[in-house]
Amino acid sequence: VVTKQIEAWRAEKTIGHPYDAEVQLSVHSKKLLRLLNKHVDFLPALFIVSKVTLGNAAPQAGLALTPEELRVQPSTDHKCARCWRRPGDVADEGGVCSRCAEALA
């Protein structure tokens, strides 16, 4: 569901690269929300986006993620000059994120 939405945005030229996107998930399934919260730090890498935020909506059973639970938007954060992600911790244009700064040190 996430990849399909991101690819639609790329086709419309709303974003150029998936790293230009932020994903917000408002999950109805309690079970799915627990699973996603357990792996929240891995979700940006899984979806190949810069940032993922989780929220919960009215609870329902099951593990399905529906398009209504997904919101993709262009990121307004600065792009890391090294990895091209937009994690929100790049101080200014042309800077690097904390993950890349650690790798370069």
Side-chain angles (χ1 to χ4, degrees), residues 26-46:
S26 297
V27 182
H28 288 92
S29 166
K30 290 180 186 179
K31 192 173 185 179
L32 180 58
L33 185 60
R34 277 194 308 270
L35 176 67
L36 292 174
N37 273 318
K38 184 177 177 182
H39 301 287
V40 70
D41 292 336
F42 178 68
L43 294 178
L46 176 68

Side-chain angles (χ1 to χ4, degrees), residues 43-80:
L43 294 178
L46 176 68
F47 297 139
I48 313 172
V49 296
S50 288
K51 193 183 297 182
V52 175
T53 55
L54 295 175
N56 58 340
Q60 296 178 356
L63 277 174
L65 180 63
T66 64
E68 295 79 30
E69 297 172 296
L70 168 68
R71 181 172 175 224
V72 178
Q73 63 188 28
S75 178
T76 58
D77 295 326
H78 292 292
K79 182 188 293 188
C80 174

